[in-house]
Amino acid sequence: MSIIDHGLRLLKMDATASARIGLTGLHICPSHPFAAQIWLAGHDGVHAIETLPSVEPDPLAPLDVSRATMLARYFPHPDEPSFAALSDDERTVRLDPGFTATGAPDGALTRDLFDTPLFAVGILRLARAADGTALSVAAVSGAPEGWRALCPLFDALITVLTFTHRVQPAAVTPRRRPGEFGLHVVLPAVPTPSDPAPTKPGAALTAFVAAAGAGDGCPDDAPARWWEAGRWDQEPDAVPCACHAAHDEDGALHGHHGHHPHSHTDTRAAKTAGSPP
């Protein structure tokens, strides 16, 4: 959880990289261990993630690791086709005045939604090696339409991690459990000063890749930019922007850091698990 928080906050200070990734707005929600609302280029709705109090183990990650489970939501714009697929309760809430012009719920409504499954499209399961040298992130949905809504968010989050850590995926595998749609990504990670020294270089990453069951090749829907972002040569750019500005509970502006994306084409390249294209 903290590694995603850290990556997103870094991107707020780098407008060029944010634009290339397609992160057009970000709000870290107060009064929650970690929750964020995320605006992505090309999407009229707003994505959101939040940590859940219970941790669901991922069978594709080693056992002796730190874990976190996050709920992913998508708040569609009323004009989007996906709005019609919402439940009656979700459509009623989405048209509530508590949804602001930014497309996201205000502070009070956000807190109310934390206790409900409304607008949920899937979950993220994170696992991190004790020595900080390996990380896995799995995105899982129980329905094809949920996966379609979750996929752009997962793409952005993995790109944030590969960019901020300057790494490439060590393995990308599809979810193979019945009734699940999604992907599982294993990444090398940069340990923090508080992490213990690895007993054997590369051992944690090897264990993560083995647990993920890699070896059948990389899925076609794994974006090529996951292998490219670690090589992007960007300089920090903290020019403030007023896009998606909104108000926190105390009436002060919370700065959604918005950007106008540069054009960037993700070329499809042949990829195998653990190998760059």
Side-chain angles (χ1 to χ4, degrees), residues 132-224:
T133 59
L135 171 73
S136 74
V137 186
V140 181
S141 183
E145 58 271 20
W147 175 241
R148 285 192 292 270
L150 178 58
C151 208
L153 173 66
F154 187 56
D155 171 25
L157 292 177
I158 296 298
T159 307
V160 166
L161 292 174
T162 56
F163 172 74
T164 56
H165 287 268
R166 300 295 183 179
V167 297
Q168 295 179 337
V172 180
T173 56
R175 304 299 300 188
R176 298 186 179 90
R177 298 174 69 182
E180 284 190 350
F181 302 84
L183 289 174
H184 182 103
V185 179
V186 176
L187 297 169
V190 179
T192 66
S194 62
D195 290 322
T199 55
K200 182 179 179 182
L205 186 61
T206 299
F208 270 66
V209 172
D216 295 336
C218 187
D220 289 339
D221 51 352

Side-chain angles (χ1 to χ4, degrees), residues 6 17 30 38 93 121 141 158 162 173 180 207 232 241-242 252 257 265 267:
H6 178 67
I38 299 168
V93 173
V121 294
S141 183
I158 296 298
T162 56
T173 56
E180 284 190 350
W232 291 350
C241 178
H257 192 74
T265 301
T267 56

Side-chain angles (χ1 to χ4, degrees), residues 38-105:
I38 299 168
W39 286 255
L40 297 176
H43 296 274
D44 294 327
V46 180
H47 290 84
I49 52 176
E50 66 208 53
T51 54
L52 295 175
S54 60
V55 177
E56 184 176 346
D58 191 320
L60 299 186
L63 294 176
D64 187 20
V65 295
S66 299
R67 300 177 185 272
T69 303
M70 307 185 79
L71 181 69
R73 303 183 197 260
Y74 182 65
F75 308 120
H77 188 279
D79 292 338
E80 285 186 86
S82 57
F83 178 82
L86 296 177
S87 68
D88 291 342
D89 287 344
E90 288 171 330
R91 287 195 294 271
T92 298
V93 173
R94 180 59 186 86
L95 297 176
D96 187 277
F99 269 84
T100 71
T102 69

